[in-house]
Each structure stands twice: as structure tokens, then as C-alpha cells.
Amino acid sequence: MRFPRGRAAAALPPRYGVRSTPMSSSTSLTVRALLLDMDGTLVDSDAAVARIWREWAEGHGLDPEAVMSVVHGRQGYATMAELLPDRPMAENHAENAAMLARETADTEGVVPIPGAPAFLASLARLPHALVTSADAALTRARMAAAGLPEPATRITAECVGASKPDPEGFLKGAAGLGFAPEECVAFEDSEAGIRAARAAGMAVVGVGPRARSLGPDLHVDDLRAITVTEAEPGWIRVTAAAL
């Protein structure tokens, strides 16, 4: 199976970009490539995230619930900057490095989002990339703990200069696959991630409860509701069905 890339895709203006098709009890988007967040989208790491960040909150005299409301989707230093706005950014980066090491070592309770193994298997021959706020070590640890294969194209924390909700990661993911951003769909669970994908000009499939109220183009409770097929040469149909 061959997929047109880059400028070749733009040679088809009537079909350029994302197409949405209502289908009775399901809804579909037709795109050229998929960009996938990790935590909360492919991997359920909420238990590990909560353990580490609640302890961090208590150590800094912050309300753990307030911290958990902003932590998802962002790199750690960006979360710290949001919550401790007067602290020098150098301190945030230093503490983030220590937090990443702890998160990488703590994979207890990290499991795949329901449907993730079959979903990733269905993408094996289709253009897709991972776009995560985790660094490479944490990505390897959590994907391995969940028993999931890492996509060949990965945009991790080391690849970008700005955290989600900045669109840099999604823009680099699209470029790495050879497609325009508006030809891609992002799979995301968090407010920061959905804002990043929107800023990149992409359609969004929201996964899980955090995404439900954030206005994604499609929403599913988990990946068991997603079917991915070749629509026609060069196009991928992403269908979300009611479970």
C-alpha cells in the first residue's frame, strides 16, 4: 500500500484535508495520517501520574486536586510553570528531570487503554506517529509496560522546544510523515493536547472522559470504538462507533 506524501497530496485539491461522513450509528473522518498521543490515549498511566504528582503537590503546599486538573498533556516543567508562576524556569527544568526519572521507574498499574493493541495493529501499514509530552525513556517504559509497540515515527519531549498546548509536536509529527497538518487527525485525551492539535490545524478524535467536553470532532470512551481502514488509495477512514 502506497500513500502520496507532501506536495503530491496537495495535487488533489477536491480531496485535500479531512472529510467527515455521518454513518448512522457511527461517524467517520477521512484523512491521510494519524498522530497519536500516548498517556490517556494509548496508555492508561493515570495511577502512576497521580502517585507522583500528588506527592509533588503536597511537597510544595499545593492542592493535589488543583494540580491534577492541569497536569495531563503537558511536559512537567510546563505544569510547574503554570502552578508556580514566580519560580525561575531553570528550577522547573531541573525538577522536571528528577520527576521524569521517577516516572520512568514507576510503571505499576500502567496498562493499555482498552482496544489499544488492536488499534495499533490496524495501523501497521498506515502512516502514523506518536506525539507525546513524555521523553524517550518514559515513552519506552510506559509503552513496554502496556505491552504496546512504539510507532516508528516518534515525537517525544526531546524533539520540541515547547510543551503542549503549543502545536510544535503535532506539526513536527505531520512533517515527519510527509503530510500537511490539515491532512492529519490527532488522537488526544487532554485539554492541552486538544488545544495543541487545534492550533496545528488538525481534526481531533477525543479519547476518554477528559476529552468528552473539549469539543473534539469525534469522541470515544476508548479505542475499542475506533476502526481504521483504507478508504481509497492514499486515504484512511477513521470510524467511531457507539459501543
Side-chain angles (χ1 to χ4, degrees):
M1 186 184 304
R2 296 180 64 252
F3 285 81
R5 296 193 170 211
R7 294 297 180 184
L12 300 171
R15 296 187 178 279
Y16 187 73
V18 174
R19 293 173 286 163
S20 178
T21 306
M23 299 175 63
S24 60
S25 62
S26 64
T27 304
S28 71
L29 298 171
T30 306
V31 298
R32 293 196 184 277
L34 287 72
L35 301 178
L36 315 173
D37 176 51
M38 181 180 70
D39 292 302
T41 301
L42 298 175
V43 172
D44 181 354
S45 57
D46 279 7
V49 171
R51 279 194 298 274
I52 290 170
W53 279 96
R54 285 179 181 276
E55 183 178 330
W56 180 88
E58 291 168 358
H60 288 276
L62 299 173
D63 177 8
E65 295 305 322
V67 170
M68 295 310 300
S69 72
V70 300
V71 71
H72 295 288
R74 291 178 170 86
Q75 292 190 44
Y77 77 85
T79 294
M80 294 170 189
E82 180 85 7
L83 296 165
L84 301 172
D86 297 327
R87 192 166 78 160
M89 188 60 75
E91 291 186 29
N92 295 334
H93 281 286
E95 191 167 23
N96 182 48
M99 293 282 282
L100 282 169
R102 291 184 59 202
E103 289 184 286
T104 300
D106 183 358
T107 57
E108 182 181 353
V110 174
V111 296
I113 293 292
F119 172 69
L120 284 174
S122 74
L123 302 185
R125 298 173 59 224
L126 302 176
H128 67 287
L130 191 69
V131 180
T132 175
S133 292
D135 67 0
L138 181 55
T139 298
R140 286 192 299 270
R142 286 186 174 162
M143 292 291 280
L148 299 175
E150 293 185 62
T153 300
R154 298 182 291 276
I155 306 299
T156 59
E158 299 94 335
C159 301
V160 299
S163 169
K164 298 173 184 176
D166 189 281
E168 181 183 2
F170 283 118
L171 293 173
K172 285 191 171 181
L177 294 174
F179 295 98
E182 55 265 43
E183 295 178 300
C184 303
V185 61
F187 282 67
E188 268 287 359
D189 72 298
S190 69
E191 179 182 6
I194 290 176
R195 286 172 56 195
R198 291 293 191 208
M202 298 176 182
V204 179
V205 174
V207 179
R210 283 188 290 270
R212 183 180 298 278
S213 64
L214 299 175
D217 296 278
L218 303 179
H219 178 267
V220 293
D221 291 335
D222 60 53
L223 295 171
R224 292 174 296 179
I226 292 290
T227 303
V228 179
T229 57
E230 184 188 11
E232 56 193 81
W235 288 90
I236 303 166
R237 178 170 292 122
V238 178
T239 302
L243 291 177

